[in-house]
């Protein structure tokens, strides 16, 4: 869910930027706990967010014609005001009275509706790209203020790296970079509704909560083994019960050398952390042979801070 610093920029030869390319990176949840349900219906969470080197490519181009025109390599992705990147561009156009329009090309690689903030990262990329291309002068905090109105994950997608997210996900604390390691990402063919998962999470039944504080300590110590072992996601108590494929994918990864495997967000994507690439590749083949994954990627941890 996040923006890589490096961008590809084209100008008109006179220093005026005409087009920008941004890599919008995916996120996983190393830890996800739900603290309580608020009176307004939102849930307060405590999550550890981490970026991966898996990304959507977002290209934004100025056009003399006013309006926002979204193009995508996925035919089912909405290209009108329902698209979250469209919403982000519209926020900037409306607030700054921009007369030129934009063409936004979204090349999707991050699984859709998968618990990896694929939409939020595209919105963050659009905010970042519009700010750069039109020289609007917003700093990161000002971008985050606009981002949270579009989606709770958007501020983190702007921030990048390893972070603790609290509140509804908008209160962010930067963490030391997690140790880099191979990550196997598998999305089964099932579709999971985030709304359904949260509505069926009954905190009054006292489901097992992950120890987020211990996970934070593991990350601060740069202890990959302990970080993996202490990962946890309270939403698995709902999603796994309804979608056994998730549990099966976790088991296959662990049987083939994953330090641990976990569902990201509200699912259904499962990721596994590995100590070395050789083991991760072996697990990749095993998951592929199982036929349980509709989308399968072998990638790595991404950190923007050294």
């Amino acid at each position: 869910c996040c923006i890589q610093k490096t961008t590809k920029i084209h100008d008109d030869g006179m220093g005026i930027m005409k087009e920008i390319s941004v890599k919008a990176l995916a996120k996983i949840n190393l830890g996800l706990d739900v603290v309580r349900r608020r009176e307004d219906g939102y849930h307060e969470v405590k999550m550890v967010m981490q970026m991966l080197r898996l990304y959507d490519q977002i290209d934004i181009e100025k056009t003399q014609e006013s309006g926002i025109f979204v193009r995508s390599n996925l035919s089912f992705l909405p290209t009108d005001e329902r698209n979250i990147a469209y919403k982000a561009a519209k926020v900037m156009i409306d607030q700054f009275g921009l007369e030129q329009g934009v063409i936004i090309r979204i090349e999707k690689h991050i699984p859709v509706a998968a618990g990896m903030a694929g939409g939020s990262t595209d919105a963050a990329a659009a905010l970042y790209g519009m700010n750069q291309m039109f020289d609007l002068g917003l700093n990161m905090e000002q971008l985050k203020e606009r981002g949270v109105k579009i989606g709770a994950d958007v501020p983190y997608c702007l921030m990048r790296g390893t972070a603790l997210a609290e509140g509804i996900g908008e209160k962010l604390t930067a963490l030391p970079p997690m140790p880099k390691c191979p990550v196997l990402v598998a999305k089964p063919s099932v579709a999971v509704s985030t709304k359904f998962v949260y509505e069926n999470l009954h905190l009054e039944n006292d489901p097992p909560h992950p120890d987020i504080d211990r996970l934070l300590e593991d990350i601060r110590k740069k202890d990959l083994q302990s970080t993996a072992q202490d990962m946890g996601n309270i939403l698995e108590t709902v999603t796994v019960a309804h979608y056994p494929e998730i549990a099966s994918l976790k088991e296959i990864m662990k049987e083939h050398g994953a330090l641990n495997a976990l569902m990201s967000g509200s699912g259904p994507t499962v990721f596994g952390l590995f100590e070395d690439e050789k083991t991760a590749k072996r697990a990749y083949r095993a998951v592929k042979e199982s036929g349980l994954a509709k989308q399968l990627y072998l990638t790595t941890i991404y950190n923007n801070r050294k």
Side-chain angles (χ1 to χ4, degrees), residues 271-292:
F271 68 91
L273 302 185
F274 293 82
E275 213 158 21
D276 61 84
E277 194 171 350
K278 185 179 177 182
T279 307
K281 285 180 176 177
R282 192 161 57 239
Y284 177 98
R285 290 192 293 271
V287 172
K288 191 172 184 179
E289 287 169 9
S290 75
L292 290 173

Side-chain angles (χ1 to χ4, degrees), residues 172-219:
L172 299 168
T173 305
L175 297 172
M178 174 187 169
K180 290 187 178 181
C181 67
V183 184
L184 183 57
V185 175
K187 185 199 174 188
S189 57
V190 297
V192 175
S193 161
T194 299
K195 184 172 182 285
F196 169 84
V197 173
Y198 276 95
E199 284 178 349
N200 286 274
L201 177 66
H202 300 295
L203 294 174
E204 68 275 11
N205 295 339
D206 197 25
H209 291 261
D211 191 337
I212 301 296
D213 290 334
R214 189 165 65 184
L215 181 61
L216 295 175
E217 189 60 30
D218 297 334
I219 291 170

Side-chain angles (χ1 to χ4, degrees), residues 74-87:
L74 298 183
S75 59
F76 60 82
L77 202 72
T79 56
D80 54 15
E81 60 275 0
R82 294 171 296 163
N83 184 288
I84 192 167
Y86 181 110
K87 291 177 183 176

Side-chain angles (χ1 to χ4, degrees), residues 14-294:
M14 293 183 289
I16 298 173
M17 197 183 301
K18 292 177 63 180
E19 185 178 347
I20 187 168
S21 297
V22 185
K23 290 179 179 178
L25 293 144
K27 69 89 184 170
I28 51 174
N29 296 100
L30 299 173
L32 195 165
D33 193 18
V34 179
V35 179
R36 70 181 183 95
R37 181 184 172 92
R38 304 194 319 190
E39 290 180 5
D40 60 8
Y42 284 97
H43 289 80
E44 282 195 11
V45 296
K46 194 171 183 180
M47 306 184 291
V48 179
M49 317 272 267
Q50 175 60 54
M51 295 179 126
L52 300 179
R53 288 187 178 275
L54 170 62
Y55 60 86
D56 294 342
Q57 183 74 38
I58 311 297
D59 297 327
I60 309 173
E61 181 184 354
K62 287 180 183 176
T63 174
Q64 293 306 313
E65 185 181 354
S66 62
I68 302 164
F69 308 93
V70 178
R71 310 282 184 265
S72 173
N73 61 324
L74 298 183
S75 59
F76 60 82
L77 202 72
T79 56
D80 54 15
E81 60 275 0
R82 294 171 296 163
N83 184 288
I84 192 167
Y86 181 110
K87 291 177 183 176
K90 190 172 190 303
V91 164
M92 302 297 256
I93 287 172
D94 289 351
Q95 287 192 5
F96 290 90
L98 303 177
E99 294 181 1
Q100 286 180 286
V102 290
I103 299 170
I104 303 174
R105 298 181 182 89
I106 304 173
E107 185 181 310
K108 290 292 292 182
H109 299 285
I110 301 169
V112 176
M116 300 187 77
S120 295
T121 193
D122 293 349
L127 287 174
Y128 177 87
M130 294 287 289
N131 187 49
Q132 292 288 108
M133 192 166 63
F134 286 95
D135 196 21
L136 302 177
L138 298 178
N139 62 30
M140 187 55 67
E141 289 308 311
Q142 290 169 325
L143 285 173
K144 286 180 188 176
E145 287 169 12
R146 286 154 178 80
V148 74
K149 295 172 184 175
I150 300 168
D153 277 347
V154 177
Y156 167 69
C157 294
L158 286 158
M159 177 180 174
R160 311 180 299 268
T162 312
L164 171 67
E166 298 175 282
I168 61 169
E170 86 290 4
K171 296 176 184 175
L172 299 168
T173 305
L175 297 172
M178 174 187 169
K180 290 187 178 181
C181 67
V183 184
L184 183 57
V185 175
K187 185 199 174 188
S189 57
V190 297
V192 175
S193 161
T194 299
K195 184 172 182 285
F196 169 84
V197 173
Y198 276 95
E199 284 178 349
N200 286 274
L201 177 66
H202 300 295
L203 294 174
E204 68 275 11
N205 295 339
D206 197 25
H209 291 261
D211 191 337
I212 301 296
D213 290 334
R214 189 165 65 184
L215 181 61
L216 295 175
E217 189 60 30
D218 297 334
I219 291 170
R220 292 188 177 105
K221 289 179 178 177
K222 299 189 181 299
D223 185 337
L224 179 60
Q225 293 268 357
S226 296
T227 297
Q229 290 308 312
D230 289 332
M231 295 191 311
N233 183 347
I234 196 171
L235 300 183
E236 284 191 345
T237 60
V238 178
T239 314
V240 172
H242 288 85
Y243 302 99
E245 301 96 324
I246 295 169
S248 299
L249 283 168
K250 288 178 63 177
E251 281 308 307
I252 293 169
M253 289 188 191
K254 288 191 278 190
E255 285 170 5
H256 289 83
L259 297 172
N260 202 358
L262 193 71
M263 182 183 80
S264 186
S266 56
T269 298
V270 172
F271 68 91
L273 302 185
F274 293 82
E275 213 158 21
D276 61 84
E277 194 171 350
K278 185 179 177 182
T279 307
K281 285 180 176 177
R282 192 161 57 239
Y284 177 98
R285 290 192 293 271
V287 172
K288 191 172 184 179
E289 287 169 9
S290 75
L292 290 173
K294 184 179 181 182

